[in-house]
Amino acid sequence: MRRLFCANTWLGDLDLHELQKKFPLIPTLEEVVHRYGGRLHLMLELKQDNTGLSKVRSDALKSILADLKPVDQYHLLSLTPDLLSQVDFAPPQTLLPVAETKVRRLSHLAVKNNWAGIAGHFLLINQGLGDLHKSAGQKVGTGFIASKACLHREINRDVDWVFSNHASKIQAIIIDALQQRCPEGGKL
């Protein structure tokens, strides 16, 4: 909780009641889906813990996402491909492995399992890998985009999804580019 709230507390050390009491600004997944589901495409990351994606957690996630259309309205991402293999309520095209290392291995898994594609740090996902997934009818996502030059490079590489810890900064770059392109508020 240090990065967002300057608190030396681990999120995993809190149960829901404690979390809501200490950090009331953090919504539950159900609240996020209720507020934004169907209006925005949701990219939900499955996190590894000691239990894996248990039947209880899987059923809860299935229930929360029940009113949304997989692929069209949400994707499930994970740094742990084993978690993606445990998702039994959404089609494989909803699942997106995120590579920290072993990009070729994850790329092979994504193609073999007919998953959504591959995502990872922009330095790991080279053009050849991107082309491989595009030729398989899959998508590519790159992360840690934090500058105008990096954003433009990824757009020019035909990346489908851009992930950033600097969403407001990236959005400002996009708005500025659109305003320069259509200064009178015209349509693109």
Side-chain angles (χ1 to χ4, degrees):
M1 304 306 285
R2 184 177 298 133
R3 181 167 57 104
L4 295 175
F5 296 101
C6 300
N8 289 327
T9 304
W10 288 97
L11 181 62
D13 292 341
L14 304 173
D15 64 27
L16 181 59
H17 176 74
E18 293 170 318
L19 177 67
Q20 290 177 328
K21 185 177 178 184
K22 289 183 179 186
F23 304 102
L25 294 177
I26 299 178
T28 64
L29 177 60
E30 190 169 16
E31 291 167 338
V32 169
V33 171
H34 178 73
R35 182 171 182 179
Y36 298 107
R39 293 181 28 209
L40 299 173
H41 188 94
L42 302 177
M43 301 296 274
L44 305 173
E45 183 179 353
L46 301 177
K47 297 283 193 175
Q48 178 66 43
D49 67 10
N50 295 335
T51 64
L53 187 61
S54 69
K55 181 75 171 135
V56 171
R57 288 177 59 201
S58 181
D59 288 348
L61 188 57
K62 179 181 179 180
S63 175
I64 290 169
L65 297 174
D67 293 335
L68 299 181
K69 294 177 186 169
V71 180
D72 292 337
Q73 295 180 319
Y74 74 88
H75 280 83
L76 301 172
L77 298 78
S78 186
L79 295 166
T80 310
D82 291 345
L83 287 178
L84 297 176
S85 299
Q86 295 172 30
V87 173
D88 62 0
F89 61 85
Q93 299 82 6
T94 308
L95 309 175
L96 185 66
V98 180
E100 286 184 295
T101 60
K102 303 178 184 175
V103 179
R104 294 280 173 208
R105 180 179 157 272
L106 283 179
S107 174
H108 175 74
L109 274 174
V111 171
K112 177 183 166 192
N113 293 320
N114 196 28
W115 288 344
I118 187 104
H121 193 286
F122 67 86
L123 293 174
L124 295 176
I125 309 294
N126 62 36
Q127 191 64 47
L129 194 66
D131 291 345
L132 170 76
H133 286 277
K134 295 284 186 175
S135 70
Q138 296 181 331
K139 297 190 177 200
V140 176
T142 57
F144 295 100
I145 309 307
S147 71
K148 182 178 180 179
C150 190
L151 176 64
H152 285 210
R153 182 189 63 242
E154 297 310 289
I155 290 170
N156 288 328
R157 288 196 321 150
D158 197 26
V159 167
D160 300 286
W161 297 303
V162 173
F163 301 97
S164 179
N165 288 341
H166 308 279
S168 296
K169 180 180 178 182
I170 297 302
Q171 186 63 42
I173 293 168
I174 292 168
I175 289 169
D176 183 56
L178 290 172
Q179 287 174 342
Q180 287 179 24
R181 197 163 173 194
C182 299
E184 302 302 318
K187 295 191 180 224
L188 294 176

